[in-house]
Amino acid sequence: MRIARFSIDGNVAFGAVEGEGPDGLVLDIIKGIPYAEFELSGTKVPLNKVRLLPPVLPNKVVAIGRNYAEHAAELGNEVPDVPVAFFKPTTSVIGSGDAIEYPSFSNELHHEAELAVVIGRMCREVPRERVKDVVFGYTCANDVTARDVQKREKQWARAKGFDTSCPLGPWVETDLDPHDLTIQATVNGEQRQLGRTSDMIRSIEDLVVHITEAMTLLPGDVILTGTPAGVGPLHVGDEVAVTIEGIGTLTNKVIKRG
Ligand code: MG
């Protein structure tokens, strides 16, 4: 099931996305919150009449760096012995259709298309064989990065944590085998990144085990699993789209911060 979060007439709700193709999609509004038991209300609204919001409101976004060998190499980095983990703050999260604001302190903004794992239940010290039980679903992410700032500053809090640097969406797909999906990024319709999730160095299972060894994950928390090769610049006015097989397309325009 594809679960979107949206606003219509000032009200915010979750809905199950039904139908195929951009014109035929409707949302069946969900009663309650989708991580627990929920029912579909039967009340339907056309997708093109709502504003999509980030599909989850995470308590935290834990991101993994350098998880595809070709991407590590393109930036001149070694594949790390242990996964590189960092946070993106909740204030960095935006939805599909929202604008990425080019930060004033950077001259080199990059896109990074990533598969995002959405957690469905509170968990800690998750054993590998239980990982599937704590995952709610998957969505597309863009780990937007001020590359010059990342190189200049030892920690990545500003380079990867500025407002609007974490587009997520368009919705969460709950019924998906994530292990071998195409993942791509286009800028103004031109392909920049193309990879397969099977090329991840550490699998989703490895990452959930590694992260929950240290911290509790809560329903709605998000793990970004790293980006394939082909990262490149974004400029004001560009439209960047991240598409993952079986999920959909996350689209955002880059604007100057007002
Ligand atoms: Mg990344």
Side-chain angles (χ1 to χ4, degrees):
M1 185 180 284
R2 290 176 288 179
I3 296 178
R5 195 170 142 265
F6 63 96
S7 70
I8 184 166
D9 302 331
N11 297 308
V12 173
F14 287 93
V17 183
E18 299 174 349
E20 289 299 328
D23 299 326
L25 293 175
V26 290
L27 286 155
D28 192 333
I29 295 174
I30 286 172
K31 292 189 201 167
I33 56 161
Y35 312 116
E37 299 260 312
F38 67 88
E39 282 177 49
L40 297 176
S41 67
T43 304
K44 299 193 180 188
V45 291
L47 192 72
N48 59 13
K49 292 280 188 293
V50 307
R51 178 178 167 218
L52 282 179
L53 300 172
V56 288
L57 284 178
N59 174 268
K60 56 189 166 297
V61 176
V62 187
I64 300 297
R66 298 167 191 162
N67 200 29
Y68 288 77
E70 277 184 39
H71 166 64
E74 75 181 341
L75 296 180
N77 296 309
E78 301 280 319
V79 170
D81 294 336
V82 290
V84 180
F86 58 96
F87 289 118
K88 290 175 83 82
T90 55
T91 42
S92 69
V93 174
I94 58 173
S96 192
D98 291 339
I100 297 165
E101 296 181 347
Y102 203 116
S104 58
F105 53 91
S106 171
N107 292 304
E108 191 186 15
L109 197 63
H110 276 191
H111 54 82
E112 294 191 359
E114 309 205 2
L115 176 72
V117 180
V118 179
I119 297 298
R121 40 203 288 199
M122 185 162 97
C123 58
R124 191 174 71 169
E125 295 174 9
V126 179
R128 171 172 302 274
E129 63 277 10
R130 295 291 308 278
V131 168
K132 60 180 182 326
D133 301 332
V134 304
V135 172
F136 176 64
Y138 303 90
T139 190
C140 307
N142 194 342
D143 175 20
V144 182
T145 300
R147 192 72 68 202
D148 49 351
V149 180
Q150 186 190 20
K151 288 173 188 158
R152 211 157 58 214
E153 299 182 4
K154 194 157 186 174
Q155 299 232 350
W156 303 345
R158 286 183 358 124
K160 286 174 171 283
F162 61 88
D163 288 0
T164 74
S165 66
C166 191
L168 295 175
W171 41 64
V172 177
E173 174 57 76
T174 60
D175 188 18
L176 185 71
D177 179 346
H179 294 99
D180 188 21
L181 305 173
T182 59
I183 173 166
Q184 64 168 320
T186 63
V187 177
N188 304 324
E190 184 182 308
Q191 189 171 285
R192 292 274 190 85
Q193 294 185 266
L194 179 63
R196 298 198 72 81
T197 56
S198 51
D199 292 331
M200 283 183 199
I201 296 163
R202 273 92 185 191
S203 68
I204 290 164
E205 288 77 9
D206 293 337
L207 298 179
V208 172
V209 169
H210 184 71
I211 292 164
T212 64
E213 194 175 59
M215 69 190 78
T216 301
L217 293 177
L218 300 174
D221 279 354
V222 170
I223 299 171
L224 304 192
T225 55
T227 197
V231 300
L234 291 172
H235 300 104
V236 170
D238 284 348
E239 185 174 84
V240 56
V242 174
T243 301
I244 301 178
E245 182 182 2
I247 300 176
T249 300
L250 166 69
T251 306
N252 301 92
K253 212 165 173 154
V254 182
I255 64 167
K256 194 171 182 307
R257 185 177 284 185

